[in-house]
Amino acid sequence: MRATVLVRPKEGILDPQGQAVESSLRQLGFPVDDARVGRVIDLEIDAKDADAARAEVELMCERLLANPLIESYEIDVGDDA
Amino acid sequence: MRATVLVRPKEGILDPQGQAVESSLRQLGFPVDDARVGRVIDLEIDAKDADAARAEVELMCERLLANPLIESYEIDVGDDA
């Protein structure tokens, strides 16, 4: 089963990569007010159904994929995720 | 207007970060068959409507946000994007 995880820097947490992107886009002339950069992780996992897959991915986020102190995550599960 | 861009390594392109994530997840005992890692970029831009915003973000992707040789991108525009 496919699952997609979006990991983003939390509100208020410094995001140097986002700042660099914002400043580069502005230098190119784009009307950008803010940019934040995070990660998208696409997973293919063995799970009997979507609920089991989501629970599994939630654990993966807590243990490896995200740093809960400074990042938030969002999980999307499904064959078309 | 808010826009979200997902930038992913193209099919068939080597993704060392994804391989590292996959192998770490397996070592932790998770039943993972595949993992690919890309970037999520959240933008706040000045644009008169969603179509204008999408066109603008498309240009940003071509010029800065993605490397079209090895990455594909997906744009989502809207206040709730």
Side-chain angles (χ1 to χ4, degrees):
Chain A
M1 189 162 296
R2 273 178 67 78
T4 297
V5 184
L6 298 181
V7 179
R8 296 174 157 115
K10 280 186 182 170
E11 202 78 24
I13 294 288
L14 199 67
D15 172 24
Q17 211 183 341
Q19 291 174 336
V21 165
E22 183 182 335
S23 118
S24 300
L25 285 172
R26 282 212 195 128
Q27 273 168 35
L28 289 170
F30 291 110
V32 178
D33 289 326
D34 190 39
R36 307 277 286 172
V37 176
R39 297 186 299 288
V40 52
I41 302 148
D42 293 305
L43 299 164
E44 185 65 49
I45 55 177
D46 278 339
K48 62 175 169 37
D49 56 33
D51 284 348
R54 177 174 299 273
E56 203 74 29
V57 175
E58 190 118 13
L59 265 178
M60 294 181 199
C61 287
E62 300 288 341
R63 297 192 56 193
L64 183 83
L65 300 179
N67 176 345
L69 286 177
I70 56 170
E71 293 170 327
S72 62
Y73 58 84
E74 190 183 321
I75 299 170
D76 198 16
V77 169
D79 285 330
D80 59 342
Chain B
M1 189 161 299
R2 271 178 68 76
T4 297
V5 184
L6 299 181
V7 179
R8 296 174 158 113
K10 281 186 181 170
E11 201 78 23
I13 294 288
L14 199 67
D15 172 25
Q17 211 182 339
Q19 290 173 337
V21 165
E22 183 182 334
S23 116
S24 299
L25 286 172
R26 282 213 196 128
Q27 274 168 34
L28 289 171
F30 291 110
V32 178
D33 290 326
D34 190 39
R36 307 276 287 170
V37 176
R39 298 186 298 287
V40 52
I41 303 147
D42 293 305
L43 299 164
E44 185 65 50
I45 55 178
D46 278 338
K48 62 175 169 36
D49 56 33
D51 284 348
R54 177 175 299 272
E56 202 74 30
V57 174
E58 190 118 14
L59 266 178
M60 294 180 200
C61 287
E62 300 289 341
R63 297 191 57 192
L64 182 84
L65 300 178
N67 177 346
L69 287 176
I70 56 170
E71 293 171 325
S72 63
Y73 58 84
E74 191 184 320
I75 299 170
D76 199 16
V77 170
D79 284 331
D80 59 343

